[in-house]
Amino acid sequence: DGGITQSPKYLFRKEGQNVTLSCEQNLNHDAMYWYRQDPGQGLRLIYYSQIVNDFQKGDIAEGYSVSREKKESFPLTVTSAQKNPTAFYLCASSIVGTSGNTIYFGEGSWLTVV
Amino acid sequence: DQQVKQNSPSLSVQEGRISILNCDYTNSMFDYFLWYKKYPAEGPTFLISISSIKDKNEDGRFTVFLNKSAKHLSLHIVPSQPGDSAVYFCAASALNYGGSQGNLIFGKGTKLSVKP
C-alpha cells in the first residue's frame, strides 16, 4: 500500500534531550513537509524539502532540524533548544508541480516532554 | 497576521441538513485552495480542492465555492452525516508563483458536529 508512515506514534522525552521522529513515504513524491499542530493553532510549517539533499525552513523552524538524504525519508529532530516541544507532529508529502499542490499527510506523532 | 482565517471554531448541524464551513483569505496571490478533514489523533485527509480559475467544484456530497472578489471560500456538505463530525481545515497556496509561495497556508480549523 502506498502512503506515509510516521513513527513512533507516541513519544515521551525528558527535558534537555533530543528526539528524532521518523517519516517514510513510498508515493514517489518529490516534496516532503513537517507540520506541527497545537490546540487552536491549526497547522504550522516547520521544514520542507522539495528535492533530495535540500530543505528549507518553514514558519517555526527554531529548535528543529531535518535531513533529506533519500527521497523516501525526511526525519525531524526536535532538539533541546525547542522551548515548547509538546505537540502533535505531522509529516506530509506532495508532487512538485503546477497542477495542484495537494499534500498528503501521515498519521502523526504525539510528542510529550516530561 | 493570519493569511487564511476560519472565523467559526465550531459548527453544529442536524443530520440530513446542509453544513456550510467558511474560510476567508487575505493574500490576493493565492490561486489554489483545499479543504482537509481531520479526526482526533489522526493526520488530515484531503477532501476537495479548487483552482482560482473556477468558482465551484463538486465531489459527491462535498462542494467548494470560491468568491475571488470577496476572498472567500466555503465548503458545503449535503446531506450531513454523523461520520462527517471532525475538524475541517481550509488551506491556500500561491501555486503559480513557485518556490515557498506554493506551500500551503492553513486556517485554524472548524470543528463540525453532526447530530443524529
Side-chain angles (χ1 to χ4, degrees):
Chain A
D1 283 351
I4 302 169
T5 302
Q6 290 186 237
S7 63
K9 178 71 175 179
Y10 300 95
L11 186 61
F12 295 88
R13 189 196 89 178
K14 292 183 180 179
E15 281 195 31
Q17 288 181 338
N18 292 354
V19 63
T20 297
L21 306 179
S22 169
C23 179
E24 303 279 331
Q25 55 99 0
N26 60 5
L27 300 169
N28 200 33
H29 285 171
D30 299 300
M32 297 187 74
Y33 311 81
W34 274 104
Y35 286 86
R36 167 180 172 147
Q37 185 189 16
D38 296 280
Q41 289 293 322
L43 304 175
R44 293 184 291 169
L45 182 63
I46 304 172
Y47 266 100
Y48 65 100
S49 167
Q50 295 194 326
I51 56 171
V52 174
N53 292 323
D54 187 51
F55 48 83
Q56 305 294 330
K57 292 182 178 180
D59 301 319
I60 54 166
E62 185 176 352
Y64 299 97
S65 66
V66 293
S67 63
R68 187 86 187 277
E69 296 177 3
K70 298 186 300 182
K71 186 176 184 178
E72 306 79 28
S73 179
F74 192 42
L76 173 75
T77 297
V78 185
T79 75
S80 57
Q82 169 50 232
K83 296 178 182 178
N84 187 18
T86 295
F88 189 52
Y89 290 88
L90 288 158
C91 179
S93 69
S94 71
I95 296 170
V96 175
T98 57
S99 61
N101 190 23
T102 302
I103 68 173
Y104 298 91
F105 287 89
E107 290 298 301
S109 294
W110 278 104
L111 172 63
T112 302
V113 174
V114 297
Chain B
D1 188 29
Q2 275 187 273
Q3 297 187 66
V4 178
K5 300 179 184 179
Q6 294 178 256
N7 291 319
S8 298
S10 63
L11 174 68
S12 183
V13 171
Q14 205 67 33
E15 181 180 6
R17 299 289 186 100
I18 184 172
S19 295
I20 300 177
L21 297 137
N22 293 304
C23 179
D24 297 294
Y25 61 96
T26 57
N27 189 341
S28 57
M29 292 195 298
F30 285 153
D31 52 17
Y32 188 64
F33 306 88
L34 307 90
W35 285 93
Y36 285 83
K37 174 181 179 179
K38 185 182 181 302
Y39 294 116
E42 294 184 10
T45 54
F46 169 70
L47 266 180
I48 192 168
S49 63
I50 188 168
S51 160
S52 59
I53 62 173
K54 295 184 175 181
D55 53 19
K56 176 183 174 181
N57 189 25
E58 191 172 353
D59 184 2
R61 296 186 298 114
F62 302 92
T63 303
V64 56
F65 295 93
L66 176 62
N67 183 334
K68 291 186 289 293
S69 60
K71 294 190 177 68
H72 177 83
L73 67 155
S74 60
L75 175 68
H76 293 209
I77 306 173
V78 183
S80 301
Q81 300 172 353
D84 295 329
S85 297
V87 176
Y88 289 79
F89 289 99
C90 168
S93 74
L95 191 65
N96 286 317
Y97 289 85
S100 63
Q101 305 271 30
N103 290 334
L104 294 180
I105 306 296
F106 286 84
K108 292 188 176 183
T110 297
K111 184 177 182 180
L112 174 65
S113 298
V114 181
K115 300 187 182 305

